[in-house]
Amino acid sequence: MTFLDQEFREIITKAVCGKGRKFTQATHNISPSHRPSSILGCWVINHLYNAKKKSEDTVEVNGSYDINIWYSYNDNTKTEVVTERVTYCDYIPLSVKDDHCLTDDYDVVAKVIQQPNCLECQIANQGNKIVVEIEREFVVQIIGETKVKVRVNPKGFNDDYDDDDWGFDITDDELSDVSPDFVNDKAKD
């Protein structure tokens, strides 16, 4: 029996070898140039991130975003927007891991489930700082080379095989049972 006569073959392919997910809440203290009277709005923009495998069971996501806070000051007579760039580092544990990868060369894919978003923005007790609560969520995948076993047809590929030959021909008897007014048919089954 030769290699080509065997019933199974091994295919080397790229596959997901690990997955992880993490939800994070962070608190940031921002110092505006004036003592705020009230918060008029807060939004998060310019989110950038990259991911890399940190250890056997952890992915590191490094990123940054801008927090913009619109506030009033001078007894609510003037307004200003303060912008602060925030950096973060999230360690995401892999909850699913396949140890059958062939090499240590992995691709890491990180996808944002929840973009950084402002949950709450308020003036701190001291009155000269603004406290912002942010949420974000990531899902990560580790993609590596692995082997898959597939069964091989011992007769080989059949040139006479027709994808359209599934035996779904409709007979005249079946067509006679179809009501042409089926949309307005009030009969119950």
Side-chain angles (χ1 to χ4, degrees), residues 7 48 54 107:
E7 194 172 337
L48 301 170
K54 187 66 176 173
D107 294 326

Side-chain angles (χ1 to χ4, degrees), residues 17-170:
C17 297
K19 288 183 181 184
R21 184 177 187 152
K22 185 174 183 184
F23 175 80
T24 304
Q25 286 185 332
T27 302
H28 305 289
N29 293 312
I30 299 186
S31 300
S33 55
H34 305 283
R35 186 180 181 90
S37 300
S38 62
I39 304 297
L40 303 173
C42 180
W43 59 98
V44 181
I45 60 173
N46 299 330
H47 182 217
L48 301 170
Y49 62 92
N50 60 19
K52 63 181 177 181
K53 191 165 187 225
K54 187 66 176 173
S55 67
E56 283 298 313
D57 56 356
T58 307
V59 170
E60 179 182 271
V61 177
N62 292 299
S64 63
Y65 47 82
D66 292 334
I67 299 175
N68 294 301
I69 302 169
W70 181 32
Y71 68 98
S72 67
Y73 63 96
N74 201 15
D75 290 328
N76 293 324
T77 59
K78 296 183 179 180
T79 67
E80 187 173 87
V81 175
V82 61
T83 300
E84 187 164 314
R85 186 97 172 134
V86 175
T87 60
Y88 65 88
C89 180
D90 287 343
Y91 294 98
I92 302 175
L94 298 177
S95 57
V96 175
K97 237 177 39 174
D98 181 6
D99 296 326
H100 297 351
C101 285
L102 300 177
T103 66
D104 289 336
D105 184 26
Y106 299 102
D107 294 326
V108 179
V109 178
K111 191 167 142 183
V112 178
I113 300 297
Q114 171 66 56
Q115 287 284 351
N117 183 41
C118 177
L119 292 174
E120 188 173 1
C121 182
Q122 59 187 1
I123 300 169
N125 291 338
Q126 301 88 356
N128 56 354
K129 289 194 180 216
I130 299 173
V131 178
V132 182
E133 286 186 41
I134 303 290
E135 68 177 355
R136 61 183 178 267
E137 186 173 12
F138 281 97
V139 65
V140 294
Q141 294 180 335
I142 303 294
I143 299 171
E145 285 189 353
T146 188
K147 285 184 185 179
V148 178
K149 281 192 175 183
V150 295
R151 187 171 186 166
V152 178
N153 184 355
K155 296 177 186 172
F157 181 73
N158 185 355
D159 288 335
D160 296 333
Y161 180 76
D162 186 9
D163 283 340
D164 296 331
D165 189 22
W166 283 82
F168 290 123
D169 296 334
I170 298 175

